[in-house]
Amino acid sequence: MDYASLWHVLIPACLAVGALIGFTGGVLGIGGGLLAIPLLGLVLGMEQQAAQGTALIMVAPAVLLTVRKYNQHDKVDLRAAGAGAAGAMVFTWLGAQVALGIEPVLLRRVYAGFVLCIAMFYFHQSSRKRRKAVRPGGLRRPEDYHSAWFALIGMIAGMTGGIFGVGGSVLVIPILTTMFRLSQTSAQALALTMMIPSTFVALSTYAAHGQADWLIGIPLALGSVLMVPYGVRLAYALPEPRLKLIFACMLLVIMVLLLVKT
């Protein structure tokens, strides 16, 4: 597609869409990439790999700003985040290599199935939280666990993020809230922090293979970073069960968008 001929329409549209995605990513702690990927495929006709690479251009600065805002509300455990980041980086590169060799339609379908599984999990969690609230004493913090656990989580998240371009933090968050009993916002902050280095690894890998459109990605990124702080502020204002329910509903919307493109 010749994007230059659509400059006056395309760039403002990308700024507006990026702002919406940035706000959503700030609320849900997902960097916005999960929503950007199906939109790029559906609206601009990008193949799955190109959509994932382009979304990473937007995700990289948005993740940095989102983590900064989360850290202002509640300090991120850098020991746990560093262990997770170390585990994620190599596996992100491996996952990206796998994704670049998969047929685009198959990759999109696998991605949709992954998103559906995460959405169902969060619907279950939201329903359970409404029936029985978590006692404050039942929550734990990252410092309660050995760093090796977070390195292992980082490996799993890195492989997922490499294959799907984004999504590593989406997989990490339910692990941290259930197995490790962290609060939703604490899990979102830690998951995003440990995925910062691997986000840039994934971006450089996709870009090196020509699967990143900078003309689209940069205005998406600019729009996104403008609205991330407002999304994070809302995340801390919402009750945790409602935040989980919003997360699940958003993931279902993403899955439908992916299947429509397929």
Side-chain angles (χ1 to χ4, degrees):
M1 180 182 293
D2 181 13
Y3 295 127
S5 63
L6 300 176
W7 179 272
H8 292 94
V9 175
L10 192 61
I11 300 306
C14 287
L15 287 168
V17 171
L20 177 60
I21 292 174
F23 179 79
T24 304
V27 172
L28 303 178
I30 59 175
L34 276 177
L35 183 57
I37 289 170
L39 288 176
L40 289 170
L42 186 63
V43 177
L44 297 180
M46 288 187 179
E47 296 288 2
Q48 184 69 12
Q49 285 90 339
Q52 291 179 183
T54 302
L56 281 166
I57 299 171
M58 181 201 73
V59 167
V63 165
L64 291 173
L65 182 57
T66 303
V67 167
R68 178 175 178 271
K69 290 300 178 181
Y70 272 107
N71 191 59
Q72 288 175 348
H73 286 272
D74 187 13
K75 295 296 182 183
V76 176
D77 188 316
L78 296 181
R79 175 193 61 88
M89 282 190 287
V90 173
F91 282 81
T92 297
W93 182 83
L94 291 173
Q97 295 299 320
V98 171
L100 290 165
I102 298 177
E103 198 278 324
V105 174
L106 175 60
L107 180 59
R108 186 176 297 114
R109 288 173 178 168
V110 174
Y111 192 11
F114 166 72
V115 170
L116 176 61
C117 290
I118 299 293
M120 292 299 99
F121 172 84
Y122 271 101
F123 274 122
H124 172 71
Q125 286 288 297
S126 174
S127 175
R128 190 175 70 175
K129 294 292 185 182
R130 285 197 298 268
R131 292 195 300 266
K132 184 179 180 179
V134 175
R135 296 177 181 177
L139 295 176
R140 303 186 68 176
R141 297 192 61 80
E143 52 263 33
D144 297 333
Y145 300 96
H146 194 279
S147 298
W149 285 110
F150 297 104
L152 177 60
I153 291 173
M155 294 176 189
I156 298 170
M159 180 62 75
T160 303
I163 292 174
F164 298 129
V166 294
S169 62
V170 175
L171 185 62
V172 167
I173 291 168
I175 294 175
L176 293 176
T177 56
T178 54
M179 296 177 61
F180 291 77
R181 290 159 52 195
L182 303 186
S183 69
Q184 181 71 16
T185 50
S186 177
Q188 290 177 185
L190 179 58
L192 282 176
T193 305
M194 68 172 58
M195 293 304 295
I196 287 175
S198 59
T199 298
F200 287 92
V201 170
L203 173 57
S204 62
T205 304
Y206 277 86
H209 287 79
Q211 298 291 352
D213 190 319
W214 295 89
L215 180 61
I216 300 299
I218 289 175
L220 282 175
L222 292 174
S224 177
V225 297
L226 291 175
M227 294 302 294
V228 162
Y230 300 100
V232 174
R233 187 182 304 171
L234 180 59
Y236 279 93
L238 289 172
E240 187 167 314
R242 187 174 300 174
L243 189 58
K244 287 178 181 286
L245 181 60
I246 292 172
F247 200 172
C249 291
M250 181 60 66
L251 290 176
L252 282 183
V253 171
I254 292 167
M255 187 202 67
V256 171
L257 291 175
L258 287 165
L259 293 178
V260 166
K261 169 61 179 175
T262 301

